[in-house]
Every structure is written in structure tokens, then in C-alpha cells.
């Protein structure tokens, strides 16, 4: 039985990846000055220029979970067409989106008892979640069953390393994604926080760097410290409207580790509302997070 892979807009896949992979996207919404926006609109080029301009002004941008309406819009047509569904969802450690999707899919299972409907809490965020989708699509294209793909993701999701730095802890603190105590040193002049996503899918400060250059070096060297068979991997990079830094990190990774393929993209507004402009992250397979 054929199946479709579904994810949400927090996976931060590029428009090109979405088309190439043939995946469907459940879009999360965000709000600027009470105006509602979709993080992803199928068939429309993704452009977050206006959102980042507002973020730099420290405008209040609020976000919401994936809605049941969006789940219905994306998943029900797949089930009605006779295909099974595998959903790879945003980390439950950062959002209630996984729970919304899971509950929706339990209802769908009652409506379509002959369909296989599976949901994975990836415990990943941004292109880390996108990397889980990347490998799921690869396995699907190799002829693996929906059960085999789900099992591989479950067994390997905690090997997807998320290493990142942010410019300003203001956004994480405001959004409640980081404790106030953990945000203290971020106010010190020239100190750049270093963070990662841990095995519980939540964000933790792991250290600090003196200046942006040192923070970028930490991202690059983390592949050597944590990665496995780096030169044979596809490396993913996301940035919060700091493309120049993303390209610098990508070029250094190619040069040092002989990596052939690096994908980079801008962070979507739902995540950017909590991470802020200037955020930069690398994602790769490692021994452990």
C-alpha cells in the first residue's frame, strides 16, 4: 500500500525540497499586530522578509499550534484517495502541535479503519525535523514500508544533532522557551549563547562564546566533535535572516569536512518568533545529541 509523508511548517523545508520530496505540509499560523499569517502556503513562494523586519523591531509576534482544521485540510484528502499516512511532527518538547496531530489522527483512524495512520514525535525542530523528513523520504523511495520508515525514524531521531547560536536571548526568554536564570549571561556585552536540542526535545544552553566569530566556529567544529561519517552526509543549516553567516558556515564545513551537499534555509516565523533574528543552526547525524 502506498503512503504519503506529512510534516508541519516548523520542519523549515525549502520550497524545492517540498516539491522534490512530494510531502504535504500542515501550516502553523502566526500573528503580527492581530493579523493572521500562514507559515506555509502550498504553491506560493515562501517569503519571510516582512516578518523579520518586524522581529528586528522587537514587535510582539504570537504563534499558535497546528489546528485541527489544517490537519483536516492536509490529511483527509490523502486518506480519501486511498493512501496511508505517516506524519513527522514538531518536537513535543517545544510545542503542543504533535498532540493536536496525534488526536486528529486517532479520529481519522476511526473514520478510515482500513488505512494506516502513524504519527511520530520527532523531538526535532526546524531543519532537524526537516532532516527526519529527508531520511524518511529516502527510505520510502528505496521501497521501505510505512512501518519500516516509522521504525527507522523512531530509532534514529535522537541522533539528529541540533547545534545553534542566537544573537539575543530576549526572544527565547519572552516566549518562555528558556528560563530567566539561563538568560542572564546573554545580557553581557559580546557574549553569544550556544544551545542545543536535547533528548527530551527541549532547548538548553550548553555554553557561551565571546563574539559572533567564536560562536560560528563552535557550530563548525561541533561536526567534528559529535558527527559520524560527516563527509558522506547531507548537512542542513538554517538562519534567522543572516544568510551571509550561513554561507560562511556552509563553505567552512565543505572545506574542512569535504561535505558534498549542504542545504540551507531561513527559519520560519513560528520558530523565529522565539529564537529571533541572527539565529544560526547546523543539523547532522551524530553519535548522540
Amino acid at each position: 500500500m502506498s503512503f504519503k509523508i506529512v510534516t508541519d511548517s516548523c520542519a523549515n523545508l525549502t520550497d524545492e525540497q517540498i516539491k522534490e520530496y512530494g510531502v504535504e505540509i500542515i501550516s502553523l499560523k502566526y500573528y503580527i499586530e492581530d493579523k493572521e499569517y500562514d507559515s506555509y502556503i502550498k504553491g506560493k513562494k515562501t517569503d519571510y522578509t516582512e516578518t523579520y523586519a518586524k522581529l528586528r523591531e522587537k514587535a510582539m509576534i504570537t504563534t499558535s499550534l497546528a489546528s485541527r482544521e489544517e490537519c483536516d485540510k492536509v490529511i483527509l484528502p490523502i486518506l480519501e484517495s486511498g493512501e496511508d499516512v505517516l506524519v513527522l511532527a514538531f518536537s513535543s518538547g517545544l510545542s503542543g502541535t504533535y498532540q493536536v496531530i496525534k488526536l486528529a489522527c486517532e479520529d481519522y483512524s476511526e473514520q478510515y479503519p482500513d488505512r494506516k495512520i502513524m504519527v511520530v514525535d520527532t523531538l526535532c525542530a526546524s531543519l532537524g525535523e526537516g532532516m527526519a523528513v529527508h531520511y524518511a523520504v529516502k527510505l520510502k523511495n528505496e521501497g521501505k514500508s510505512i512501518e519500516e520508515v516509522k521504525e527507522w525514524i523512531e530509532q534514529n531521531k535522537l541522533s539528529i544533532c541540533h547545534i545553534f547560536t542566537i544573537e539575543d536571548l530576549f526572544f527565547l526568554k519572552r516566549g518562555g522557551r528558556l528560563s530567566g536564570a539561563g538568560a542572564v549571561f546573554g545580557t553581557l556585552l559580546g557574549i553569544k549563547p550556544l544551545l542545543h536540542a536535547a533528548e527530551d526535545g527541549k532547548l538548553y544552553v550548553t555554553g557561551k562564546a565571546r563574539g559572533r566569530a567564536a560562536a560560528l566556529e563552535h557550530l563548525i567544529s561541533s561536526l567534528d566533535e559529535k558527527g559520524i561519517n560527516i563527509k558522506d552526509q547531507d548537512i542542513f543549516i538554517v538562519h534567522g535572516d543572516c544568510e551571509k553567516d550561513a554561507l560562511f558556515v556552509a563553505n567552512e564545513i565543505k572545506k574542512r569536512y569535504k561535505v558534498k551537499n549542504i542545504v540551507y534555509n531561513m527559519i520560519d516565523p513560528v520558530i523565529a518568533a522565539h529564537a529571533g533574528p541572527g539565529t544560526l543552526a547546523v543539523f547532522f547525524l551524530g553519535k548522540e545529541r
Side-chain angles (χ1 to χ4, degrees):
M1 178 67 68
S2 65
F3 66 96
K4 197 85 171 178
I5 294 173
V6 174
T7 191
D8 53 72
S9 54
C10 287
N12 290 179
L13 294 168
T14 67
D15 292 337
E16 293 75 19
Q17 283 177 306
I18 293 168
K19 183 177 179 180
E20 177 189 345
Y21 294 169
V23 298
E24 297 294 334
I25 306 295
I26 297 169
S27 180
L28 276 68
K29 297 182 184 295
Y30 62 100
Y31 306 84
I32 305 175
E33 296 168 355
D34 297 324
K35 184 177 179 181
E36 183 181 87
Y37 297 85
D38 285 294
S39 287
Y40 172 78
I41 301 174
K42 188 172 183 177
K44 182 177 179 180
K45 182 175 174 56
T46 304
D47 184 1
Y48 300 138
T49 305
E50 177 186 346
T51 304
Y52 273 95
K54 294 287 187 182
L55 281 169
R56 291 186 187 283
E57 297 168 2
K58 298 289 198 333
M60 177 57 77
I61 298 179
T62 57
T63 62
S64 67
L65 311 179
S67 69
R68 175 59 185 262
E69 180 184 12
E70 288 297 319
C71 292
D72 289 351
K73 186 167 71 175
V74 172
I75 298 174
L76 285 177
I78 300 170
L79 299 173
E80 288 165 2
S81 73
E83 290 188 287
D84 296 333
V85 174
L86 174 63
V87 186
L88 304 183
F90 187 32
S91 172
S92 64
L94 297 171
S95 170
T97 288
Y98 161 72
Q99 192 65 23
V100 171
I101 296 172
K102 185 172 182 293
L103 290 172
C105 286
E106 288 174 0
D107 289 345
Y108 304 151
S109 291
E110 293 182 6
Q111 293 177 250
Y112 297 88
D114 296 331
R115 298 273 72 76
K116 295 174 183 175
I117 307 169
M118 302 180 182
V119 186
V120 176
D121 176 4
T122 65
L123 297 174
C124 294
S126 189
L127 267 180
E129 182 185 353
M131 182 166 278
V133 175
H134 169 78
Y135 283 108
V137 170
K138 186 172 184 291
L139 291 166
K140 178 176 182 279
N141 291 342
E142 290 172 358
K144 301 297 184 185
S145 68
I146 188 172
E147 292 89 353
E148 289 172 320
V149 175
K150 179 181 184 292
E151 182 62 22
W152 191 94
I153 297 300
E154 292 284 13
Q155 290 183 356
N156 291 276
K157 63 189 182 183
L158 295 182
S159 296
I160 300 176
C161 298
H162 302 50
I163 310 296
F164 64 108
T165 186
I166 58 179
E167 276 288 276
D168 189 346
L169 276 168
F170 166 84
F171 295 94
L172 278 176
K173 187 179 178 186
R174 182 173 74 175
R177 267 35 179 207
L178 197 69
S179 71
V184 171
F185 69 75
T187 63
L188 301 177
L189 185 64
I191 297 297
K192 303 302 178 187
L194 308 172
L195 303 94
H196 83 139
E199 292 189 353
D200 59 3
K202 297 180 180 179
L203 307 181
Y204 295 92
V205 174
T206 58
K208 54 191 175 182
R210 292 198 173 276
R212 183 71 165 179
L216 300 187
E217 175 57 34
H218 171 75
L219 300 185
I220 298 162
S221 61
S222 67
L223 278 75
D224 188 45
E225 295 167 9
K226 290 179 171 287
I228 50 174
N229 303 319
I230 289 298
K231 71 180 181 65
D232 298 320
Q233 288 192 42
D234 294 317
I235 306 300
F236 288 5
I237 298 173
V238 289
H239 66 91
D241 196 29
C242 51
E243 186 175 20
K244 183 178 178 181
D245 286 347
L247 288 172
F248 169 78
V249 170
N251 289 331
E252 284 296 308
I253 289 172
K254 283 183 177 180
K255 184 169 66 176
R256 296 189 199 184
Y257 304 109
K258 313 303 179 188
V259 171
K260 297 179 180 64
N261 186 43
I262 295 181
V263 174
Y264 73 95
N265 196 21
M266 190 177 283
I267 299 169
D268 78 285
V270 170
I271 293 178
H274 300 289
T279 299
L280 191 63
V282 295
F283 306 92
F284 55 92
L285 290 180
K287 307 177 192 74
E288 59 183 9
R289 289 196 183 179

